[in-house]
Amino acid sequence: MSQTLSLASIQKTVWDGKLPLEIVLAPSESRSYDQTDPYLIACSRLTYLPSLLPRLRAFFSPSLIDPNSHAHDGWFSLEGVPLKWHYPIGLLYDLYAEADPASSKGGKPDEADENTSIPLPWRLTVHFNDWPHEELVQLDAEGVVMNDAFINSVKEADFLRNGTAKGIMTLSKEDSSGLWQAVQDVDLPSFQRISNILLPSQPFRNVPIRFFLPLPPDSGAPSLKLVQSPISPSISTSQPQTIGTTLHTLLPHLFPSRRTPVLAKPVLHGAVVPMSAPIEEIVRSSAYGDGWAYIVIRMMG
């Protein structure tokens, strides 16, 4: 019971996490170039950037050179790089903000201390023209593209956990749409009611977890490498699979030790994940709304 309460407490903390954003209109689309006032908001880490587009379109409408653009024409960039709209905001921040994560010894994620300078609010640029088709799938006015991307990700996680996607496939239409709505509304009770239908009471067959490995600019490859493999929740009947054992197996050159970060550290929701944390517990308590734990590998030193 105490473990269940502990995992529930962690999940609530995760769902309460927010990031302050400062969103500016692309100067090339503004009547006043770079003099347009920014839009400031504290946004849930679990939601997705396109959910902000209707209010951003309304806020910036007096400044838009093109008055015929629509909210679903909007996309976001960071220092000229289009941001993938199907990644949760918290994951995008952990990937690109270059902030020092909170230590597992204490403190809150994204909370600055005397030894850390964290760039908050996070400054992003919104565009309503010139959609980057080579980098991003075009959104639609009805939100079908976003909904489908989210549900497909839920299906993948469900299949790994159970060996079948029967759980998500047999959800009622009301529950299926309600799951997505609960994430958009950051409504944990509604989310738990539906997601508990999908989570098996027995151990997972495989754990839905993905690792993002930043690559140097001169690597000749995309700036991010996604590392994923079917991972059992246990090594043996008496030994659970931990973050440390998983990383040692998948990335032994970066994690030569199963117990201690030496060259790199795993970051989730703005905090360093203990190497001893069982990966199934990580997913049950700290997964994003689509059922995946997205862990960013941050180099040390």
Side-chain angles (χ1 to χ4, degrees), residues 166-249:
K166 183 179 179 180
I168 182 65
M169 297 297 290
T170 56
L171 276 185
S172 67
K173 184 177 180 180
E174 180 182 2
D175 281 346
S176 181
S177 60
L179 189 68
W180 171 229
Q181 192 63 49
V183 173
Q184 290 180 294
D185 296 341
V186 200
D187 183 350
L188 180 56
S190 295
F191 175 82
Q192 288 174 324
R193 181 187 67 79
I194 303 169
S195 66
N196 286 343
I197 301 173
L198 304 177
L199 290 174
S201 56
Q202 69 273 20
F204 294 168
R205 177 170 294 190
N206 287 293
V207 180
I209 189 169
R210 286 171 172 157
F211 298 95
F212 289 84
L213 180 63
L215 298 176
D218 58 354
S219 63
S223 59
L224 295 173
K225 179 181 180 181
L226 175 61
V227 179
Q228 177 185 334
S229 180
I231 304 169
S232 171
S234 60
I235 297 174
S236 64
T237 55
S238 61
Q239 185 177 3
Q241 188 90 252
T242 65
I243 290 292
T245 57
T246 301
L247 288 172
H248 178 72
T249 299

Side-chain angles (χ1 to χ4, degrees), residues 122-177:
W122 196 30
R123 185 179 174 91
L124 303 178
T125 301
V126 65
H127 310 250
F128 291 98
N129 282 298
D130 302 321
W131 186 276
H133 291 281
E134 293 187 2
E135 289 90 359
L136 304 176
V137 175
Q138 179 79 55
L139 297 171
D140 65 307
E142 293 74 27
V144 174
V145 173
M146 273 198 71
N147 178 83
D148 287 352
F150 176 80
I151 293 299
N152 285 337
S153 191
V154 174
K155 289 178 182 177
E156 293 176 5
D158 194 36
F159 182 83
L160 280 173
R161 288 191 304 257
N162 299 291
T164 174
K166 183 179 179 180
I168 182 65
M169 297 297 290
T170 56
L171 276 185
S172 67
K173 184 177 180 180
E174 180 182 2
D175 281 346
S176 181
S177 60

